[in-house]
Amino acid sequence: MALQAGEIHALLGENGAGKSTLIKIMTGVVQPDGGDVFVDGRQVRVGSALEAQALGIAAVYQEPMIFPDLSVAENIFISHRDRGRIVDRGAMRRDAEAVLDRLGVRLDVGEPARGLTVAAQQTVEIAKALSLRVRVLIMDEPTASLSAHEVRRLFGIVKALRGEGVAILFISHRMEDVFQIADRVTVLRDGRWISTRPRSEVTPASAIRDMVGRTMGDFFRRTPTRPGDVVLEVRGLAREGVFAGVSFTLRAGEVLGLAGLVGARRTDVGLALFGIAPADAGEVLVDSRPVTIRSPQDALRVGIAYTTEDRRQLGLVFPLSIAANVTLPTLRRYLSRFGLVRRAAEDAVAQGFKERLSIRAPSVRTAAGSLSGGNQQKVVLSKWLNTRPRVFILDEPTRGLDVGAKAEVHQIIDELAHDGIAVILISSELPEVLAMSDRILVMREGRQMAVFDSAEATQERVLAAAMGQLATPAVVV
Amino acid sequence: MARDIFRRLVRWEGLLLAILAVIVVVTGIAVPGYLNPQNQINLLELSIEKAIVVLAMTFVIVSGEIDLSIASVMGLSAVLVAWLKEQGVPVEVGIIAALLVGALCGLFNGYWVAVIGLPSLAVTLAGLIGYRGAALLLVGDRSIGGFPEWFNRLGQQPLLGPFPLALMVFAVLLVGATVLLQFSGFGRYAYVVGSSPEVARFSGVRVRRVKLAVFAMSGVVSAFAGVLLLARLGAVRGSTAEGFELDIITMVLLGGVSIFGGSGTMAGVILSILVVLNLRNGLALANATGNTQAGVIGALLILSVLVPNLVAAARSRLGRGGSAEAAVIPKLSDL
Amino acid sequence: MRIKHSTSLSLLAGLALVASACGGPAAAPSQSPTQAAATPTQAAATATAGGVAKATPGQSVKMMLLPKFLGILPFAQANKGAGDAAAELKNSTALAFVGPTADNSVQGQIEFMTNAATQGYKVVMISNNAGDQIAPAATAAQAAGVKVVAWDSPIPSAKGENLFVAQVDFNEMGKVMADMALSIMGADGGKFAILSASPDAANQNAWIKALNDALKDPKYAKVQLVDTVYGNDQSERSYTQAQALVAKYPDLKVIMAPTTVGIAAAAKAMQDGKMCDKVKVSGLGLPSEMVSYTINGCAPQFALWSFVDLGYLTYYTSYMLATGAIKGTEGEQFEAGRMGTFKITKDPTRSAGLRVLMGPFKIYDKTNVEAEAK
Amino acid sequence: MTLLLRRVRPEQVRELTLVFILVAVVAFFATQIPNYLAWQTFTDISTGLAIIAVAAVGQTLVVLTRNIDLSIGSVVGLVAYFVGTLLAGTPGMPAPAAFGIAIAMGGALGAVNGVIVAFGRVPAVVATLGTLAIYRVALVELSGAKTVTTDSLPAWLLNLPRMSVVSLGQLDVRPLVLLALAVVIVFQLVLSYLPYGRRLFAIGSNPDAARVAGLPVERDVFVAFLLSGALAGLAGFLFLVRFGNITVVAGQGLELQVVAAVVVGGVNIFGGSGSIVGALAGATLINVLQQSLIRWPAVSAFAQDAILGLLILLAVASDKVILGRLRTIWVQARRRDEERAAATAAEQATHGA
């Protein structure tokens, strides 16, 4: 596989196809078993991350590799060797702001990265790669956490870099991204090279065929359901300084999409409903009865479940087995009279989910951390489905998943609706929200801008609302 | 990867088992009297209180915290029983009071750690000083002895066959702790809270409650061990059990429990207790000074991790590439 | 030096030997086998009451010298004395000088005592740091045929102890300290404070008690003891405690430290604080550590005894006890090589126990300290 | 006030809360202890603090990288003893040589820790618990039960603690204190302004990311241990200077005091955040509490430790509470500012239109 200067080269492949390993080899994190790497025609050995840097290879990882205690500016410049022997904080701040400006992002560069959202953290990663004099830039799912607006901005930068002669290896599960930006497309499958073709010769269908080795249907479509009774009613929910005035109702079997740009505070609404960061004003009614949710235990009691957007940090206990993860919120059900865990029962229920959601793992005793992203997400879903929720909040459930896994998750969401569960879907991928939701609530900077029915929702209208271009907030309940 | 972790785990406990076997065989041949059954009982009995607290400490460390105040709680409980006896309170009542105070000490630690969110190192360091101070406050510069005959006998004479009470108590607690850590819901929570407290919180686990319980348990068990120590020694002073904390933590860590929480098994800890006690006894019988004993155990602590790591690194360099990840830091396998 | 002592009365008077000496009725029947086991079977034991027993050199006796911990001078000196005695007595089994670490002293001593029986030791000579906490282990060792001879610091209740080889008379110690305080302060008297080892150091506590008793004598009417603080036998802590005493009592005249670590640290603290003119330091000290302070007047007077002699006498006594030359009963007299003749008596400073008193004190001042420090 | 709040975030001034608590403590004891606010008290406490402070600086470097160095007490003892013996044997040795040897020896002992942890991948607690014992054993074996006595030490060393560098009336600033202060300042600057210092934060904050970012993690951690050892060696030298009499128990238990200072000083025990100044503030706070308690006539020797434990806990707790409150106030102030800015911007936009 060859990567040319001034090209954007897309790399496609399902999770587990070997993309991440390829990145790790190129950035010197692991050593190859065989084969060679050439830079500018010279054979090189990328023995360490440092050597990769010297060769001008930089990577933006799918899971942000940030330093939570360092400031944004420091995160950007920590691995720079050319900034003199003494750290000039003022210059660093200015330069950091300049780099972020190129990305069109405004962040407080003095703030510790700990407090940033995943999206912002990823932006910092990109800024870090940009700030190094890169010749080869590897981007692993850079758009996964960005909203459409930011994606456009990013692509502008990527194209500019291409113009400067930088070779860009672009890895994404979003077909539309790939076709919008890539010059050439390479597909990997099961750790093997399958094909490299100019974009013009590739269609989404052919790419997917190469990736999965079979033909797949179009983007997912919901099967219609008949909504049942109102399960959840939210009136004027607010958390001081975070969001305010969120109101909606949700029926059994309905999917409510939460759309908005980064910083729209959608996740915070989810966290408030789940009791992690409780709301301090407003009312929540479940089955028309007012409830107080001050903790996740409260939420679980009334049948609200929540899957986090940060699967890596907050989703699973990696060293624990699949079964133990699945039963974590409901462990009490699997205890014998003496408080011992009934392993057989636990395994049985996990096995059930393994089959139902086709979790690919050797057994339910396998450590959750060893699974691929898609399968991890299915374990997370199993864990919460096992609480038999009435309301299921899914925060970015398909982030970082490949097409196959994504489709499976969509399938699951559809089934949830059919089973009469009320679903709140938080997603930055507008097509996903549009395709999956019955209604779409659009937020902007902590305020509810509009609620659309799926019939009246279009990409343009939602985006306009998310960017605040509606004259008055239209609240359609 | 899971199998890999499992192999690693087996390797860790296998390593300890191998070390134990070598110690027993070599000492058995070289040191007369070592294999004598009475000696085997002695070597356990001499450190049985520490071994008991090791069990509780394992829970604390697995759940990602540390309790440095254990030795001071042991001292305080022993002193309390003695002081109450002086005030005319029967020893039986004194023991119950000591256990209660132990639980309170543990809950007090737990409150600041779990509810207020202070680092356990700081809190229990304050406890280390404070609880010892409370013991000193009660006895001052005195030594209190003269306990009822039944109490001394329980601590100093064999109860059943050649086995003293404390040994049997340890056996029971050992089984209990193993079941609790490896097979119960509480143990599962301890691992989860230690491994990733945030995931636990997002999964509806009452993290605070788990931590409070772990600290309370640590307090009660330490207090209980303090009472057993009192019975064995027959007298108590302000300094009783001083400095035990480092020995106890050493045994837990050698057992393969990660100081960062979330990993380690009771089997490893038990093997570690046996390794340390047998080694110390073997050396002592061979006329090694306490200094030498401490040095050998210190070296063992380092080498037991270092040597396998170096071997693994060498192997990965010789063989095909791959990660030079630490080989024997045991991780939690399929729970 | 930390020597443990307990003020509490013992329930059991201990050995039948001791019990008969005390005439106490409390001797438990369970102790009888101990006596049987401890009684030497050798017919060679020929000491008669009133006569002076002599040692029979050349016998093989496995003996252990167990200090509080290893690594400090006084115990090394005692080991040297014991080694001298072993050479004189031609004991073919080498003396074991083993001990715990300083931070594991109590627990370590109990372990060594328990293991001694397993190892087949005939005598354990212990400078006890565990107070009465060693008693059960010592009693068990005796039951297994081990003689337990305490030196430097006894087992307060005398339970599990055959004999105590005392360096000086503990009551005498109180008077010596009071005298030193008075002589330093002069006839006008004044305030002084004690800087002790740890609060449960039984030796120090016994001496402090003796000092308090001694101060009741009208001779010391103007000598006022204002405070007792503890430096835990650590230089760091003792040093700051000495500083604090001066801050707390501006008119303090003497710091009395009955511990070698404490006295040196206090002297250094006064010297560093340029306060030697105001506050003097006294107590128990090693001449080699104190010589400069004595010469420059920071610590004009202090006392100690010879640890070499103590080790020598302890070894001699223990050897004779193990070989049956003496039985370890009250009133026996024996000859201890170069040190002359000693007598086993009741220990008047404890409620039970037998004692061999070495003595005497040596008071050091400008005139004699340099010679001794060499 | 708001301007200040806007520019400075609470984390950056977290040491101030400790200073505030310290002032409160001093004010309290001043009402309780006669002649407490005397220069003599300052001299006594500051000189004693110097040793802990120097060791705490080294410990901070290590803790920032998500490691810990428990061998410090033994290193201090071993170096103090070794250098003391050396000086006793060769009285003509110049002061800088002794000073250098102490640091070099400490550095060597620290390097052993560093190799085991950074390259041998042994968890730091395990490694340094081991060397804590081993270094102490080395000291006991090395000593042959001999004590370093003040008498055998050269005069310049004995005079050092009595000297005053600055003497203003009753205020004496000892060379030990100045040296410790210099160490604190130098290393605070290293942490703030050298890339190495920033990397220590990065490594402790996220070791995986540090590796991926190409930071020399192993080397940096190794150097942190080496520095910690070297500073412990320096502390050992100060220990020798101050106490003169060095036995085999010298420095025993110092590691707990140092770790306490660092933790109370707000250095995160899991790495990534903290400062040298904070560690100094922590050390000062604990030391002032200790020293004040033994000077407080109202409290018996037996009650001191019970109170000390409680006070340390209260200090740590109030630090946390105050800091949390400050953070809230700061966030609110920031938000108001932002809203105001947004309003102004909107206004300008309308005017422009």
Side-chain angles (χ1 to χ4, degrees), chain D residues 294-305:
Chain D
I294 59 176
R295 285 169 168 75
W296 195 3
V299 170
S300 90
F302 301 121
Q304 282 163 10
D305 279 351

Side-chain angles (χ1 to χ4, degrees), chain B residues 78-79 81-87 138-139 142-147 230 234-238, chain C residues 6-8 132-133:
Chain B
V79 162
V81 173
W83 183 79
L84 286 174
K85 186 210 72 176
E86 273 194 334
Q87 314 301 311
L138 288 179
V139 289
R142 293 173 308 132
S143 162
I144 302 176
F147 292 93
L230 176 64
V236 66
R237 304 182 298 178
Chain C
S6 164
T7 51
S8 68
D132 277 331
Q133 295 176 346

Side-chain angles (χ1 to χ4, degrees), chain D residues 156-200:
Chain D
W156 62 263
L157 190 99
L158 297 176
N159 289 332
L160 212 52
R162 266 173 280 174
M163 270 165 47
S164 296
V165 179
V166 182
S167 211
L168 290 170
Q170 292 239 294
L171 168 68
D172 290 327
V173 179
R174 306 291 194 205
L176 266 61
V177 179
L178 277 194
L179 188 65
L181 217 55
V183 167
V184 166
I185 292 169
V186 165
F187 278 92
Q188 181 62 58
L189 292 177
V190 165
L191 278 194
S192 302
Y193 292 107
L194 286 198
Y196 173 73
R198 302 318 298 167
R199 288 206 302 270
L200 291 185

